[in-house]
Amino acid sequence: MSLGDLHSQQNEMIEVQCSERWSIYRRLQELEIPCSCSYSQPLKVQIGSTMTAIQLWGVSRQVNAPRTVLVEHLEQCWHVYTMNEN
């Protein structure tokens, strides 16, 4: 599913099944994104906008991506930032 598809399907409910679902759940709660998580059940997230979909993607990436991928992304962001400062 692409972000364009998510935009056209407002209020889509998705389920996240992973060992880190509680970490994702807590962060989504902080972002005030409607979600629920019960014992031995997948995390359920209500996607009501493209921004919510992007936030869910970012949170799940932060939790699940290997450290090397996150470091590489941070270095790329820093490079772009320093290029724009000059």
Side-chain angles (χ1 to χ4, degrees):
M1 183 180 300
S2 70
L3 288 179
D5 294 335
L6 286 172
H7 183 66
S8 66
Q9 298 174 1
Q10 295 290 320
N11 294 315
E12 184 73 22
M13 180 71 78
I14 65 164
E15 294 184 0
V16 175
Q17 295 190 34
C18 69
S19 61
E20 301 294 337
R21 69 182 182 275
W22 289 106
S23 297
I24 295 171
Y25 171 76
R26 283 190 295 276
R27 181 62 182 133
L28 294 177
Q29 288 286 303
E30 291 171 357
L31 295 170
E32 298 181 0
I33 295 174
C35 57
S36 63
C37 192
S38 301
Y39 181 75
S40 297
Q41 297 295 315
L43 167 64
K44 295 181 180 181
V45 183
Q46 184 175 353
I47 305 297
S49 68
T50 304
M51 181 59 72
T52 302
I54 292 169
Q55 289 176 313
L56 172 60
W57 173 80
V59 169
S60 61
R61 182 174 184 225
Q62 182 180 7
V63 170
N64 293 311
R67 185 178 188 280
T68 55
V69 171
L70 296 174
V71 168
E72 182 179 306
H73 178 72
L74 183 59
E75 288 174 347
Q76 289 173 352
C77 291
W78 181 252
H79 179 72
V80 169
Y81 173 77
T82 58
M83 293 299 288
N84 289 332
E85 287 293 307
N86 295 328

